[in-house]
Amino acid sequence: MTPEEFAARVEAIEAELGKVIVGQEDLVRAVVLGMLAEGHVLLEGVPGLGKTLLLRTLGEALSVEFGRVQFTPDLMPADIVGTNVLSDGGFSFHPGPVFANVVLADEVNRATPKTQSALLEAMQERRVTLGGETHDLPRPFFVMATQNPLEMEGTYPLPEAQLDRFLFKVLVPFPSADDLVEILERTTADHSPTVEHISDGAELAAMIAMVREVPAASHVLRYAATLTAASHPYHASATPKIKEYVRFGASPRAAQAMVLGGKAMALADARYNLSGDDVRAVAKLALRHRLVLGYEAAADGVTADDIIEELLAALPAPTVDS
């Protein structure tokens, strides 16, 4: 597959999603990039913005196995990973909905931390361990999760270890007035659009492998590493807002996310090379959920995105000679 063919397939997938999702081009692109990097994506927004609809439509557009878990306070870990069932021949393993290629974890922050932690091994190692036995998950495998803002009633904060396992965190904006009118026209009529299968598991696996094959120059890799390191308040390149508001900076997974997401973005633009601008384009997606902010940030109304914008302004994209 050439970069041009890769970009054409991405455009086709996004067009298929566009049959159902009105506007939200940046949101759709972020989800598709995360999928092509075989990374997990967390969507955050208030109810009713189409988060679940987008991810369900993605599952319909791809001819892969799709699993869905509706997270609730009484959900148990076995409801996600499966359980051992006693039968005449002894115990047999009955897999849970996590044994799929695309797993929709709907309203993931409505479950207790104990249940949320059931996803940790699956998200990091693509396997689950139950009763001393390890079961491999199908590949490709990615978790697409939705969550409501933490200030809403009945939610639990995701553990930092689980947040770190999400490649991207995408903030879902409220639609514009024109988009809202289009949503009303589509959802209040007597017909609904039909989503066609636009790709299969084999093609998706080939595209994921191609993303990892994109060459990355050493100065671009160092740029991703520098952005990650500079997110820590003790680093020499830390900006004033980082020193004042950040308690803990991003983990090395942030640099990995920027590189993999940047490679996917390059191919989506029909380019077979990673640039510093690609890294910058996905920096907020990769960093915003990995910064641990102090209470001063909430008091002063400073968000993680504000801090990342200052960081990107202070550290421009490098050139080959820099």
Side-chain angles (χ1 to χ4, degrees):
M1 183 182 296
T2 66
E4 290 76 16
E5 292 172 337
F6 188 103
R9 297 307 296 153
V10 171
E11 184 178 356
I13 293 172
E14 293 178 344
E16 203 64 29
L17 296 178
K19 290 181 178 179
V20 176
I21 305 301
V22 178
Q24 306 284 26
E25 289 84 2
D26 292 340
L27 168 63
V28 171
R29 173 54 63 94
V31 170
V32 171
L33 291 180
M35 176 190 68
L36 294 174
E38 200 183 6
H40 314 299
V41 179
L42 176 63
L43 276 63
E44 180 179 286
V46 298
L49 296 184
K51 303 182 297 297
T52 302
L53 178 61
L54 168 59
L55 300 182
R56 190 176 69 240
T57 305
L58 178 65
E60 294 174 359
L62 304 175
S63 297
V64 296
E65 189 171 353
F66 180 78
R68 176 175 177 172
V69 183
Q70 184 66 50
F71 280 66
T72 57
D74 59 348
L75 190 73
M76 299 299 292
D79 298 325
I80 301 173
V81 301
T83 185
N84 287 321
V85 177
L86 180 62
S87 59
D88 294 339
F91 284 97
S92 60
F93 177 66
H94 285 218
V98 75
F99 283 83
N101 299 111
V102 181
V103 178
L104 169 56
D106 201 16
E107 295 186 311
V108 65
N109 61 335
R110 289 199 176 276
T112 61
K114 176 183 178 180
T115 301
Q116 292 172 10
S117 65
L119 286 174
L120 289 177
E121 182 183 15
M123 293 175 68
Q124 178 60 31
E125 302 178 32
R126 266 75 177 184
R127 66 183 187 184
V128 297
T129 301
L130 188 67
E133 294 187 9
T134 299
H135 306 273
D136 292 328
L137 296 171
R139 301 293 294 271
F141 171 79
F142 28 82
V143 174
M144 300 290 178
T146 70
Q147 75 168 14
N148 298 323
L150 290 180
E151 62 268 17
M152 300 194 70
E153 185 177 355
T155 61
Y156 299 83
L158 296 182
E160 282 78 6
Q162 185 173 357
L163 276 174
D164 197 31
R165 282 163 169 78
F166 284 102
L167 186 85
F168 291 156
K169 179 181 178 182
V170 186
L171 303 181
V172 183
F174 195 83
S176 66
D178 291 339
D179 287 342
L180 189 55
V181 171
E182 177 67 20
I183 291 171
L184 293 174
E185 291 177 348
R186 294 191 186 186
T187 57
T188 60
D190 59 355
H191 65 277
S192 58
T194 301
V195 179
E196 300 178 0
H197 293 309
I198 199 67
S199 183
D200 56 25
E203 182 181 62
L204 184 57
M207 294 176 74
I208 290 171
M210 188 174 177
V211 167
R212 289 186 171 269
E213 294 170 358
V214 172
S218 58
H219 69 280
V220 179
L221 295 179
R222 184 168 295 278
Y223 182 54
T226 301
L227 287 175
T228 303
S231 69
H232 292 259
Y234 56 78
H235 193 269
S237 299
T239 64
K241 285 184 179 178
I242 290 175
K243 293 178 180 179
E244 182 176 359
Y245 298 116
V246 176
R247 292 177 56 201
F248 301 101
S251 74
R253 287 194 184 101
Q256 295 170 339
M258 284 187 280
V259 170
L260 283 174
K263 287 183 175 184
M265 174 162 285
L267 281 176
D269 291 338
R271 292 179 288 105
Y272 197 66
N273 66 289
L274 176 68
S275 70
D277 289 336
D278 294 322
V279 171
R280 293 174 64 86
V282 299
K284 285 185 179 180
L285 297 171
L287 289 170
R288 61 165 57 110
H289 57 299
R290 293 183 165 98
L291 301 182
V292 179
L293 307 184
Y295 67 90
E296 300 90 352
D300 293 345
V302 176
T303 66
D305 282 12
D306 296 332
I307 294 170
I308 297 168
E309 288 176 0
E310 184 184 69
L311 176 64
L312 292 174
L315 297 174
T319 60
V320 176
D321 298 331
S322 62

